[in-house]
Amino acid sequence: MMKRTIVLLLLFTLLVAGCGGALERRKQQVTIGVTPNQEVTLQPGGRLSLNASAKAIDEPLTAMSWSIEAITPPASGPAPQIANANCATVTLTIKDQDGRGQCTAELSVPTTSEPGVWRIAAMAESESKGTASAAFVLKVVAPERDTGNFRIEAPTLLTVDEAGEVLVTNTLVTINAEALSEKPMRELRYEWTAIASPDANLRLAGVNTQRLQFIPRAAGDYQFRVTATAQIDGREEMVTAEVLVIVEDSDRRDELVVFAGVVQPKVSRELVNLTGSVTYNGQAVSNVSYAWVQISGPTVALADATTAAPSFFAPVVAADTELVFELRASAMIEGRSVSGTSRTVVRVEPEPEE
């Protein structure tokens, strides 16, 4: 019985010693808490008060500090800043033999900062028992801007031309778009891109203007995106719109199908060759009468204007200029006269500066 009592006492002593060791290890911990302690969202120009409270058991705290680390950094622009990041005005005290610390700081986001995600952390250090840290996440978001309702007015769906005729292959298609805002717009720019096209050889004219033009060689759905960019209140703003164009097949039976050629980009003084073609029920036609007529743009002298392939020299222009030509063709087929028209566009750019 005595032996059993001695064994139990030994076990109890070891257990108490073990607990005492655990308590001693727990005493060596350094703890810290921060305010705010959860995710915060700020816009450029925003400010936020920071506060850190730390404690070290049974010994003084020697230092406290704040830090900032990028989680998702912006492509450009300054990072948020912390005033008193090294806790130069930190309050370190002793209470009940425990070291205590208090550090306040201020977080500011420069007005030129771009959106990003940051980790804001506070650290406390003791004399010999290690350090502790606590952190929260800062999200910098783009400010809500008054752009004066910056928008693009463009047709969502286009199936007919300005005259109300159904859009068909081998004819000129024009899409008009206009960027609008109640506020003044500076350095306004347009850019058109083709998202989908059944015509593998699609050529576009006016991709950097309000008006996009093309001549579809294949029937189907053509989808485009137009982007407008402008300076509004000193900031670059961007807006987009999409346009779906549905083109039907013009190769109908018993009709003369005229094609005036693709849209051509040219430079002042450059030789321009127009090329027309005519089919009837999908077959080439002989004995065709051709007549090319200039519809708009600076007047040019067409050579061989009564043939399928006239030519001219592009006029000298000071800015991008559009020339529109119409091919009028007629032929006698099976004892009857049939005719048709088609238009094409030549976009002339100024000569490059030397």
Side-chain angles (χ1 to χ4, degrees):
M1 183 67 180
M2 180 63 68
K3 290 183 178 180
R4 182 178 181 184
T5 301
I6 293 172
V7 171
L8 290 174
L9 287 173
L10 287 172
L11 290 173
F12 179 74
T13 301
L14 291 172
L15 179 62
V16 171
C19 291
L23 290 173
E24 183 64 28
R25 286 193 298 272
R26 192 174 299 118
K27 282 185 179 181
Q28 293 176 6
Q29 292 179 348
V30 178
T31 59
I32 188 170
V34 296
T35 303
N37 59 6
Q38 57 187 357
E39 182 177 289
V40 173
T41 299
L42 291 177
Q43 295 182 1
R47 293 179 176 271
L48 181 68
S49 295
L50 306 176
N51 183 65
S53 299
K55 177 181 177 182
I57 297 177
D58 290 338
E59 73 174 31
L61 285 170
T62 57
M64 295 181 69
S65 63
W66 288 89
S67 63
I68 181 168
E69 177 186 1
I71 298 175
T72 307
S76 61
Q81 302 168 356
I82 299 177
N84 195 36
N86 61 355
C87 293
T89 57
V90 63
T91 301
L92 299 176
T93 60
I94 299 292
K95 183 177 180 181
D96 299 330
Q97 296 185 339
D98 294 335
R100 297 175 184 269
Q102 192 84 16
C103 178
T104 58
E106 184 177 67
L107 173 70
S108 62
V109 182
T111 56
T112 55
S113 290
E114 296 295 328
V117 182
W118 307 85
R119 181 179 182 270
I120 311 298
M123 184 272 292
E125 183 178 358
S126 66
E127 284 189 334
S128 63
K129 297 179 180 179
T131 62
S133 64
F136 68 93
V137 172
L138 167 69
K139 285 187 176 180
V140 178
V141 299
E144 294 183 3
R145 303 169 183 166
D146 181 8
T147 62
N149 189 24
F150 187 39
R151 64 194 186 278
I152 294 180
E153 286 195 357
T156 304
L157 175 65
L158 193 64
T159 59
V160 297
D161 60 18
E162 296 176 352
E165 298 291 333
V166 173
L167 297 177
V168 294
T169 55
N170 302 327
T171 60
L172 181 64
V173 177
T174 300
I175 312 173
N176 292 302
E178 183 178 10
L180 299 172
S181 173
E182 286 83 9
K183 292 198 167 197
M185 295 181 292
R186 297 177 57 251
E187 301 176 20
L188 178 61
R189 305 185 301 276
Y190 293 90
E191 182 179 1
W192 291 86
T193 55
I195 302 174
S197 168
D199 184 353
N201 298 314
L202 181 66
R203 297 180 65 180
L204 305 176
V207 293
N208 298 121
T209 69
Q210 291 180 249
R211 183 159 66 169
L212 181 73
Q213 294 174 311
F214 67 101
I215 299 174
R217 297 302 305 270
D221 296 349
Y222 293 76
Q223 191 172 5
F224 302 93
R225 178 181 294 116
V226 56
T227 301
T229 307
Q231 292 284 333
I232 300 177
D233 284 345
R235 283 187 174 271
E236 185 173 85
E237 304 292 346
M238 180 182 298
V239 65
T240 63
E242 292 189 1
V243 181
L244 176 63
V245 180
I246 300 178
V247 178
E248 297 185 7
D249 194 345
S250 66
D251 221 359
R252 296 183 290 268
R253 295 188 63 81
D254 301 326
E255 292 186 11
L256 197 66
V257 177
V258 181
F259 180 50
V262 299
V263 175
Q264 297 187 65
K266 293 292 181 179
V267 177
S268 293
R269 304 181 194 275
E270 188 176 358
L271 179 65
V272 182
N273 294 303
L274 300 177
T275 304
S277 63
V278 176
T279 59
Y280 180 82
N281 291 343
Q283 302 296 320
V285 180
S286 59
N287 301 320
V288 178
S289 296
Y290 297 94
W292 289 87
V293 178
Q294 184 175 357
I295 303 299
S296 66
T299 303
V300 298
L302 282 172
D304 302 320
T306 58
T307 68
S311 60
F312 65 94
F313 286 97
V316 177
V317 296
D320 290 356
T321 304
E322 176 184 294
L323 284 70
V324 179
F325 298 90
E326 183 174 88
L327 172 58
R328 302 168 183 174
S330 61
M332 291 296 298
I333 300 177
E334 298 176 354
R336 67 187 183 94
S337 176
V338 289
S339 62
T341 62
S342 176
R343 290 188 179 185
T344 190
V345 171
V346 177
R347 303 296 291 262
V348 182
E349 297 180 356
E351 291 179 294
E353 297 181 0
E354 296 182 357

